[in-house]
Amino acid sequence: AQTVTQSQPEMSVQEAETVTLSCTYDTSESDYYLFWYKQPPSRQMILVIRQEAYKQQNATENRFSVNFQKAAKSFSLKISDSQLGDAAMYFCAYRMLLSNFGNEKLTFGTGTRLTIIP
Amino acid sequence: NAGVTQTPKFQVLKTGQSMTLQCAQDMNHNSMYWYRQDPGMGLRLIYYSASEGTTDKGEVPNGYNVSRLNKREFSLRLESAAPSQTSVYFCASRGATHNEQFFGPGTRLTVL
């Protein structure tokens, strides 16, 4: 079974600095997707960034980038120039294809709570 | 576009009571999902529906039933609520050409 592990329950960073959140996963598949979701206090799940496993290039979205190491099954999120609005729970997720109709489920890690220090 | 909407936002039930959580999406998505989120854990899949008229069990289906009423709506029913079902419930949807799921705002359910 696929598992997703986030080993840092909490992280903090000074405003304007850079922080990296870790995620590792276990899978026997060769083609899959990985995601980082942000959950602010409002509870809304917001997609931050996604990575296709077949792409060697790391995904980037403005201040957010990933370090995808397929062989090591590692998928870390780097946030540059941290802002107060980045404070949230961050979940790493793995997309697993289900058996019927090509449907899918997301397997989530337990999350990392990020605090931004002014 | 409202995206994915859920009602109610909050609910308190007594053990043994029943209720239905409503979810609707206006993005013409085929697939819809129900997740629960418990403290210290990520979201876990309860049920999903790959298309109108089909539903399948996810990781934690016990104690729940679902109905895919039409393409837009996917409801989650608790027939006899238990304290272990105290959680935050999220509905999500995904279109055929999307690689991401879009989430609703969640329902916080407390069972006393």
Side-chain angles (χ1 to χ4, degrees):
Chain A
Q2 284 79 5
T3 58
V4 177
T5 301
Q6 294 178 250
S7 59
Q8 306 155 313
E10 296 182 352
M11 293 280 285
S12 60
V13 63
Q14 293 276 356
E15 193 175 3
E17 296 295 309
T18 296
V19 64
T20 298
L21 308 184
S22 300
C23 173
T24 59
Y25 59 95
D26 185 28
T27 184
S28 57
E29 299 180 27
S30 59
D31 190 19
Y32 48 87
Y33 282 77
L34 294 162
F35 303 87
W36 278 98
Y37 278 90
K38 169 185 178 180
Q39 187 179 44
S42 67
R43 212 169 56 206
Q44 181 72 48
M45 294 290 287
I46 302 165
L47 179 69
V48 174
I49 200 166
R50 65 169 168 261
Q51 174 77 43
E52 296 92 329
Y54 65 87
K55 289 188 177 179
Q56 293 187 342
Q57 187 172 7
N58 289 325
T60 299
E61 290 287 342
N62 300 315
R63 298 183 293 108
F64 299 87
S65 61
V66 299
N67 183 4
F68 173 50
Q69 301 290 327
K70 191 173 184 179
K73 297 179 182 175
S74 170
F75 181 60
S76 60
L77 175 69
K78 185 171 82 171
I79 306 173
S80 303
D81 185 26
S82 298
Q83 300 175 0
L84 294 178
D86 295 334
M89 282 289 286
Y90 286 82
F91 291 98
C92 178
Y94 168 95
R95 189 187 91 160
M96 181 178 83
L97 286 177
L98 297 168
S99 58
N100 52 328
F101 308 113
N103 211 342
E104 64 171 34
K105 71 165 273 193
L106 290 180
T107 298
F108 287 84
T110 52
T112 296
R113 183 174 302 281
L114 178 64
T115 301
I116 310 297
I117 304 167
Chain B
N1 256 1
V4 180
T5 57
Q6 292 183 235
T7 55
K9 286 188 168 51
F10 301 93
Q11 184 71 47
V12 179
L13 293 178
K14 294 181 179 179
T15 297
Q17 287 185 318
S18 63
M19 80 159 296
T20 300
L21 306 183
Q22 306 287 352
C23 174
Q25 51 91 9
D26 62 0
M27 297 175 282
N28 201 36
H29 287 171
N30 288 322
S31 303
M32 297 185 74
Y33 309 81
W34 276 106
Y35 291 90
R36 62 178 287 174
Q37 183 182 25
D38 300 302
M41 305 183 73
L43 278 68
R44 292 183 293 166
L45 183 66
I46 304 171
Y47 270 93
Y48 67 97
S49 170
S51 61
E52 185 179 351
T54 68
T55 61
D56 284 284
K57 294 178 180 179
E59 188 181 349
V60 287
N62 291 344
Y64 305 96
N65 287 300
V66 291
S67 295
R68 183 74 182 267
L69 305 169
N70 48 55
K71 192 169 187 178
R72 289 187 64 248
E73 298 172 289
F74 187 38
S75 62
L76 178 72
R77 182 161 178 82
L78 287 71
E79 291 291 352
S80 179
S84 61
Q85 294 178 304
T86 294
S87 189
V88 178
Y89 291 86
F90 287 94
C91 178
S93 71
R94 184 176 73 84
T97 57
H98 292 97
N99 291 312
E100 66 179 271
Q101 293 183 14
F102 295 83
F103 286 83
T107 295
R108 180 175 294 279
L109 175 68
T110 301
V111 183
L112 302 176

